[in-house]
Amino acid sequence: MIGKYTEELLRENQENFIVPAENVATLLYSHPLEHALLILSKVGYAKIPVLDTEDRLVGLIGLSDIVNKMMGLTGFDYRLLEGLTVADVMEVNVPTVLHKEDLEDILHLLVDGSFLPVVDEDNIFEGIITRKEVLKSVNHLVHELERRYTIEPKSVPLKNK
Amino acid sequence: MIGKYTEELLRENQENFIVPAENVATLLYSHPLEHALLILSKVGYAKIPVLDTEDRLVGLIGLSDIVNKMMGLTGFDYRLLEGLTVADVMEVNVPTVLHKEDLEDILHLLVDGSFLPVVDEDNIFEGIITRKEVLKSVNHLVHELERRYTIEPKSVPLKNK
């Protein structure tokens, strides 16, 4: 469990935790892989979310998923992407969080993924929580903690004041 | 400044902070881009360090750096990589840290990069510090802090005990 004061400090940057959907590059599952390659090579992110036509999250796709599909017996061949769509290579069953998710769960899930997709109860994509934003909050936490609070080890008896 | 108790807790996972050089995929600056593409599509990391023949760090290279070089006027063409080496597309002047670097600097630099190369005084590559490992320490910190310590706001008078 995260303590009260620790959580309070972490949450002071909370409004910036979520990068809203309109600011996140996404792909449709039905997009041709040639298009996906173009988008992914331009956005500067290793992976981006994949949506259906109702804006529901259906997976993630990364540049390496597509480059691997281009690998033929005699080297890389762009033509191997012909006829394939995002749905053919995307990663499915990705961890997601709800908008009001526990900070504890978010911090644990971000150990294994560079970002976490945020969805609503109907799996509609709302945005992402990135390690970058969470690390900004961590910087805030570790700098403010002992400036604002007095900390005493619990096992050591309190000195006379 | 990071307070004493906060830093102590963060450093309890310190031996795992650095992924040592022998466990990090790297490329030589003189490697052909075709080879770099193959390595990068396999390692599962968006970017990896580039070394010279003396194991000095000279840059970073990512899959998107290479894919962008394959983009011709009429689509992607693998043959556009012919004759090019890692040195032609790698990112140079990347932030690095020394082995004994301040935790404060490390936490700040990781806001803008998913990992930090660690070098010695002669710029010999020693390994990387990843957001993943640092986030493990952050999880440890936020869970242990109020379990081990009593925290009191400094502006509020201490209650009678």
Side-chain angles (χ1 to χ4, degrees):
Chain A
M1 216 195 90
I2 303 180
K4 176 184 152 208
Y5 296 113
T6 312
E7 175 139 359
E8 265 177 25
L9 275 171
L10 278 174
R11 287 200 182 274
E12 284 182 355
N13 181 40
Q14 193 179 9
E15 75 265 37
N16 299 318
F17 265 18
I18 299 183
V19 181
E22 61 264 32
N23 296 341
V24 180
T26 58
L27 284 163
L28 272 180
Y29 72 95
S30 55
H31 274 143
L33 278 190
E34 291 97 329
H35 175 70
L37 182 63
L38 192 68
I39 298 297
L40 275 162
S41 65
K42 290 300 169 202
V43 293
Y45 298 105
K47 278 185 189 179
I48 63 176
V50 180
L51 309 183
D52 68 11
T53 51
E54 311 288 316
D55 286 338
R56 285 180 295 238
L57 182 84
V58 292
L60 298 178
I61 186 167
L63 205 44
S64 61
D65 297 323
I66 307 176
V67 171
N68 279 322
K69 273 284 167 193
M70 292 165 65
M71 206 177 307
L73 293 173
T74 57
F76 285 89
D77 190 345
Y78 181 60
R79 290 168 301 178
L80 291 171
L81 300 186
E82 271 170 29
L84 295 177
T85 65
V86 167
D88 292 316
V89 304
M90 69 185 183
E91 178 187 335
V92 292
N93 300 321
V94 297
T96 58
V97 290
L98 293 169
H99 196 96
K100 294 284 173 204
E101 193 80 24
D102 210 55
L103 198 53
E104 192 152 356
D105 293 340
I106 292 171
L107 283 174
H108 270 129
L109 288 167
L110 281 175
V111 168
D112 289 317
S114 64
F115 68 88
L116 272 176
V118 181
V119 295
D120 73 6
E121 286 75 8
D122 299 317
N123 208 33
I124 303 290
F125 178 66
E126 293 195 329
I128 57 174
I129 297 176
T130 63
R131 280 178 174 166
K132 182 188 180 83
E133 288 306 321
V134 167
L135 280 166
K136 283 186 193 170
S137 294
V138 168
N139 273 290
H140 179 67
L141 166 72
V142 300
H143 284 92
E144 288 300 310
L145 194 69
E146 295 184 46
R147 213 178 62 81
R148 294 198 205 168
Y149 300 99
T150 305
I151 299 193
E152 298 272 2
K154 284 187 177 171
S155 54
V156 176
L158 287 168
K159 294 185 203 82
N160 289 326
K161 291 190 191 272
Chain B
M1 216 194 90
I2 302 179
K4 176 185 151 207
Y5 296 112
T6 311
E7 175 139 1
E8 266 178 25
L9 275 171
L10 278 174
R11 287 199 181 275
E12 283 181 357
N13 180 39
Q14 193 178 9
E15 76 265 39
N16 299 318
F17 264 19
I18 299 184
V19 181
E22 61 264 32
N23 296 341
V24 181
T26 58
L27 284 163
L28 272 179
Y29 71 95
S30 55
H31 274 142
L33 277 191
E34 291 97 328
H35 175 70
L37 183 63
L38 191 68
I39 298 297
L40 274 163
S41 66
K42 289 301 170 203
V43 293
Y45 298 105
K47 279 185 188 178
I48 62 175
V50 179
L51 309 183
D52 68 11
T53 52
E54 311 288 317
D55 286 339
R56 283 180 295 239
L57 182 83
V58 292
L60 298 179
I61 186 168
L63 205 45
S64 61
D65 297 323
I66 306 177
V67 171
N68 279 322
K69 272 285 168 193
M70 293 164 66
M71 206 177 307
L73 293 174
T74 57
F76 286 88
D77 190 346
Y78 181 61
R79 290 167 302 180
L80 291 170
L81 300 185
E82 271 170 28
L84 295 176
T85 66
V86 168
D88 292 316
V89 304
M90 69 184 184
E91 178 187 335
V92 293
N93 300 320
V94 297
T96 58
V97 291
L98 293 171
H99 198 96
K100 294 282 172 205
E101 193 80 24
D102 210 55
L103 197 53
E104 192 151 356
D105 294 339
I106 292 170
L107 283 174
H108 270 129
L109 289 167
L110 281 175
V111 169
D112 288 319
S114 63
F115 68 89
L116 272 176
V118 181
V119 294
D120 73 7
E121 287 74 8
D122 299 318
N123 208 33
I124 304 290
F125 178 66
E126 294 194 328
I128 57 174
I129 297 176
T130 64
R131 281 178 175 167
K132 182 187 180 85
E133 287 305 321
V134 167
L135 279 166
K136 283 185 193 169
S137 293
V138 168
N139 273 290
H140 179 67
L141 166 72
V142 300
H143 284 92
E144 288 300 309
L145 194 69
E146 295 183 46
R147 213 178 62 80
R148 294 198 205 169
Y149 300 99
T150 305
I151 300 192
E152 298 272 2
K154 284 188 178 172
S155 53
V156 175
L158 286 168
K159 294 185 202 81
N160 289 328
K161 292 189 190 273

